[in-house]
Structure formats: C-alpha cells, structure tokens
Amino acid sequence: MYQDIKQACFEANMQLPKLGLVVFTFGNVSVVDREKGVFAIKPSGVPYESLQADQIVICDFDAKVVEGNFRPSSDTKTHAVLYKHWTEIGSIVHTHSTYATSFAQAQMDIPILGTTHADHLTVDVPCAPPMSDEMIKGDYEYETGFQIMNHFEKKGLSYKEVEMVLLGNHAPFTWGKNAEKAVYNAGVLEAVAQMAYLTCTLNPRVNRLKDTLIEKHYERKHGKSAYYGQGC
C-alpha cells in the first residue's frame, strides 16, 4: 500500500551521504502521500550504509506509526507539524551539514552575497532563533515545527517561496514539492552557506548583493518577479 513512497523516501535518503550532507545517522528525509494522509520517513539510528527500503517507517500527520517495525526518526514530530500546516510541501529534508549548521549554531541568517544564492532565493536564508526554555522542556520535536512556522510568520515569509531555514543552535531544514526538490534544496543550502562563509572570511565588510542582480538572476531562472517577503 505504501511501497511507492517508501521507495521514494529510501532513494532520497541515500542521496544525502552521496552529496556529503550527512555523516553517520545525522539526517533524514521524509516523503508525503497527501491522499493517504501519511508520510514515509527514515528509521531512527539506522546507518545509511545498511538502510533498506523496507525499513522506512510510515506515519500519519500526528506522528503516529501506521506501518513499520522500526522506530521513526527522532525528528518525526517536526516533519508531521510542517506537513499538517504547510499543505503544499511534498518532502522534507533535515541534515547537520557542516556549513549550514555552523550558521545555525552562530544564530545567523545566511546573507545573499552572490548570484548562486540569487538563482535560488531572493532573501537571506532565515535563521529562526533558539527555542524558549518552555518549548525545549516540553514536546521538543513537536515545538520545533512551530518555531520554524512562527519565524516565517514573523518575518512575513512564504514557505512556497523560501524552501529552507536554519534553526538556531540546531541545524537546517529544507523542503520542496517532491523529494528530488527537497534534496536539491539541501544541497544548494550547504553550497550557499559554504560560499557565504568563505566570502565573509576573505572580506568581512562585503556588501550584500545588489537588488538589480537579485532580480535579474531570479527572474531569469524562475520566469517570475523576485520575492522579497514582508520582513526582508
């Protein structure tokens, strides 16, 4: 019944080590089936080198296991919250990739400095602040999803336009209409984070990319006007 999304989820997860976005078990991908009201996600603690498609776990939007013999990822509740409230997401990726996670730990947005960034996004990659003590001490993984959504609302950002976020003191999340796009966004995020880090190391006083270049590159790639959000 769930073989298609389990296979898609497995294949997407296997892209993360190939792209150098995870080490050991530091990451996960999920893939949703909106018609069935479920999503497939990597099992917790299973190394990528031994992961099999039949180990993928199926959960509903309340993070309850529907099918599977393994414990789902510890981030399952975060995925469930985002799927439940952001209804046009088809897949979510969470990694602890080195450069993106470094910006998250520094509690810094990734500034838009060059055209590679502008080809994919017209705003800085947002970094949500660290969660409050109450949220951390409560249902931590569940509250993580709300911390992301609340930051987007505060900044006036659309999850349909900005498909990536950093969580302060934690790590990045990306998403997309399908698994291929969500994994692609995770790779782009890490590349942009590395470029920004190296650029700021070479020139700490570097200027943000000009709006005219942002608009030109975004419109050329996407065929529509640049998106800036209310708070950017």
Side-chain angles (χ1 to χ4, degrees):
M1 183 176 180
Y2 304 113
Q3 192 58 39
D4 288 349
I5 59 167
K6 288 174 75 171
Q7 185 65 32
C9 182
F10 167 72
E11 292 176 3
N13 271 283
M14 296 308 293
Q15 287 298 309
L16 299 188
K18 290 180 181 178
L19 293 170
L21 299 176
V22 299
V23 295
F24 303 117
T25 61
F26 301 171
N28 48 73
V29 182
S30 66
V31 179
V32 75
D33 186 325
R34 294 282 176 186
E35 291 184 0
K36 293 184 174 71
V38 299
F39 63 94
I41 193 165
K42 181 184 178 292
S44 179
V46 177
Y48 281 91
E49 58 267 23
S50 62
L51 182 64
Q52 302 294 323
D54 61 5
Q55 296 173 322
I56 299 296
V57 185
I58 303 296
C59 297
D60 64 19
F61 293 167
D62 292 317
K64 295 178 180 177
V65 174
V66 174
E67 179 183 290
N69 298 318
F70 288 77
R71 183 166 59 91
S73 166
S74 59
D75 300 296
T76 296
K77 288 185 179 180
T78 305
H79 291 240
V81 166
L82 296 178
Y83 283 132
K84 196 170 188 177
H85 293 85
W86 286 353
T87 57
E88 295 188 38
I89 290 177
S91 178
I92 297 170
V93 177
H94 174 51
T95 74
H96 286 250
S97 58
T98 302
Y99 285 89
T101 300
S102 297
F103 273 91
Q105 292 179 169
Q107 301 177 33
M108 294 173 58
D109 294 349
I110 301 174
I112 182 167
L113 301 176
T115 58
T116 307
H117 189 143
D119 280 341
H120 299 88
L121 205 62
T122 57
V123 298
D124 297 348
V125 177
C127 181
M131 296 163 64
S132 68
D133 290 345
E134 286 185 352
M135 295 175 81
I136 294 169
K137 291 177 181 179
D139 196 339
Y140 174 65
E141 289 80 12
Y142 178 78
E143 295 290 359
T144 298
F146 284 97
Q147 185 76 351
I148 292 169
M149 293 190 299
N150 290 342
H151 189 65
F152 267 58
E153 183 177 1
K154 180 181 178 180
K155 291 294 184 179
L157 298 172
S158 166
Y159 75 88
K160 301 175 191 177
E161 298 286 345
V162 182
E163 296 181 324
M164 54 189 69
V165 69
L166 308 176
L167 188 63
N169 294 149
H170 190 177
F173 287 83
T174 65
W175 50 86
K177 62 182 179 180
N178 53 38
E180 182 180 6
K181 186 62 175 0
V183 171
Y184 175 83
N185 286 337
V188 167
L189 174 55
E190 179 63 6
V192 166
Q194 183 175 7
M195 291 176 192
Y197 173 82
L198 294 173
T199 301
C200 291
T201 301
L202 289 168
N203 181 7
R205 295 183 297 275
V206 64
N207 292 322
R208 192 173 185 272
L209 188 64
K210 294 169 62 175
D211 284 347
T212 49
L213 278 172
I214 294 173
E215 292 162 6
K216 173 62 71 175
H217 276 261
Y218 190 81
E219 290 174 4
R220 186 177 67 177
K221 188 174 182 68
H222 299 274
K224 59 182 180 180
S225 298
Y227 168 85
Y228 290 101
Q230 297 174 13
C232 298

